[in-house]
Amino acid sequence: MTAAPLAASNTDLDDHVDNEIAEYINLDKPRSFFLFAGAGSGKTRSLVKALSHIRSTHGRQLVFRGQRVGVITYTNAACDEITRRIDFDPLFYVATIHRFAWELIQDFSYDIREWLRTKLAADIVELQKAEAKGRAGTQASITRLAQIDSKTRRRLQLDTIKSFVYSPTGENREANSLNHSEVIELCADFLLSKPLMQWILVGRFPFLLIDESQDTNKRLVDAFFATAVKHPERFALGLVGDVMQRIYADGKEKIEQGLPESWARPSKKLNHRCPKRIVRLINQIRSAVDDHDQESRSDAIEGFVRLFIRPANTQNRQAVESAIRAQMADITDDEQWRSLDDCKILTLEHHMAATRLGFEGILEPLLAVEAWRTSLLDGSLPATRFFTQNILPLIEAEQRRDKFAVARIVRSRSPLLTVEALKDSPDPGALLRRAQDAVTALMSLWKNGLPTCGQILDSVAASGLFTLPEVLKAIVALRSSQGNPQTDEAEKADPVTEETTALLGFLDAPFEQVGTYNTYVSGQASFDTHQGVKGLEFDRVMVLMDDAETRGFMFNYEKLFGAKAPSSTDIKNAQEGKETGLDRTRRLFYVTCSRAEKSLALVVYTENPAAMKAHVLARSWFAEDEIDDES
């Protein structure tokens, strides 16, 4: 009997792509490009190969010119990984978008000052107009007046500032510091309005490569686009990404469709991460969006996928999910499915994780402000960062009675004990006692139970222990005035902004939720989401989908799986080419499914199990024996 021929190896399928990119990153004839790199396609490997090619081919010439290669990545972890893989070569400047933007603008103190002067003046005028139309004494009025006062004081301080400072990972609480959003806005505005800034960019960085380009701030991407169009003979912009993996609201939608005709569009097709069965599934998921099908490696395992459909009224969901993991252990003959520590549990929506882990009091109010979602979920939102970076470490140090840690935190972060404050004070000892009294007052809040975030904020504001971020200063003024409420009629006629409502709701949350929230956004919790795991991979993945727990906020799994019809708004948005909740849900479902290296369990709770099963079978997402609906 003749043995069946071995399947031809396809592991070199995408090698030509790296050769193509090498042609584009040529100092004599640069060409901008967009590299499509789907899930598990080895985009980091291609990025590192491109950098190695630049070093071997153009390294000496770049050093002679005093130039470097810019590489923008989405996270600090990605920066560290790429830097390590290029042997920490100083020829390459690898940074997050905020750090890179600051690198470009940090020497332009005069321009920054004038930009801030203009912006603050415009903000003040808008607030004054709103105040003139509103009603005196309302919560909205109190907030506006506090904001006008804060912005006016900051504007008056501008002429005393010789240079500005910024830290991508710090508090940026000094009078001469810029916040994260200002750095992005400044860089984008300067690149678009000041021709000199474009010349500086291309002079310093003739090659700029951007990883996860679909999630990079759209205003800055547009500014880089404009630079590439203006300087095609001196500058190559290389975008790496996949529109199906765009998960942040401030990323650039449909980035591939807006590329100039002259750009190259190389594409990687091989998925090195996922087993064959999961590659077929994710191809089906994205087939309604584009034709970027992937191929699995010829030596990949077959793998396992199972869809578990459970009724929406299922009680004790965690017990149900534990039983499903036991089923997966039997199906896959992999006992590690039984251990929660050996599985990655993913949710498509943060509400689910917040409810299960117990920090919904923090997340839910703030998540309602669309402009804050990205920074809330990566831990950089000033309002939450104030608590996670200042209050939380101090409280934890006090509770474990670590006096040295308490002293270190207060000395390094409190405005009461800065070098300038101690030097200028006639009695430095008095400042030390004041700082100690502030810590004592803060800790006294625990004597009457568990304090809220608002009670802690009030204490810190009164003592001056830490500098408050601008966004919380107006809220402090509002909270201190709540003993003089206005009539319901006045408040309805002059309502507070959605940002103020969100902050007030957040401050009602128990402070104990801050630690859990911090663990979650740091990626250390048992549950994770699409944001936390993009770019990562796990042997065993369980994805939980439950519209009841997410309240249909931003995403809707029942519509994706056919248990509910699209809404009229979804249909209208789709007809107008706008993003729909179904689009967002499909993308995030793709990201979570594509994390699995061996086996994938999908758990969905629905009000209509029969319709859901029929829908996914009709679309060939799953075979009959891959669906468990307890029928």
Side-chain angles (χ1 to χ4, degrees), residues 94-126:
V94 186
T96 60
I97 188 66
H98 289 88
R99 190 181 296 277
F100 188 86
W102 177 240
E103 171 71 14
L104 289 180
I105 68 172
Q106 62 181 324
D107 294 327
F108 293 86
S109 293
Y110 172 82
D111 299 272
I112 293 172
R113 183 182 300 107
E114 296 311 304
W115 185 91
L116 284 172
R117 196 191 310 277
T118 301
K119 185 177 187 303
L120 288 168
D123 290 347
I124 292 168
V125 168
E126 287 302 310

Side-chain angles (χ1 to χ4, degrees), residues 200-232:
I200 289 172
L201 170 59
V202 301
R204 290 185 188 175
F205 304 101
F207 302 126
L208 176 58
L209 308 180
I210 305 180
D211 193 13
E212 302 288 5
S213 57
Q214 75 282 347
D215 272 325
T216 303
N217 181 274
K218 56 188 139 193
R219 289 203 69 225
L220 209 42
V221 168
D222 286 341
F224 291 142
F225 270 17
T227 303
V229 169
K230 189 73 173 179
H231 302 271

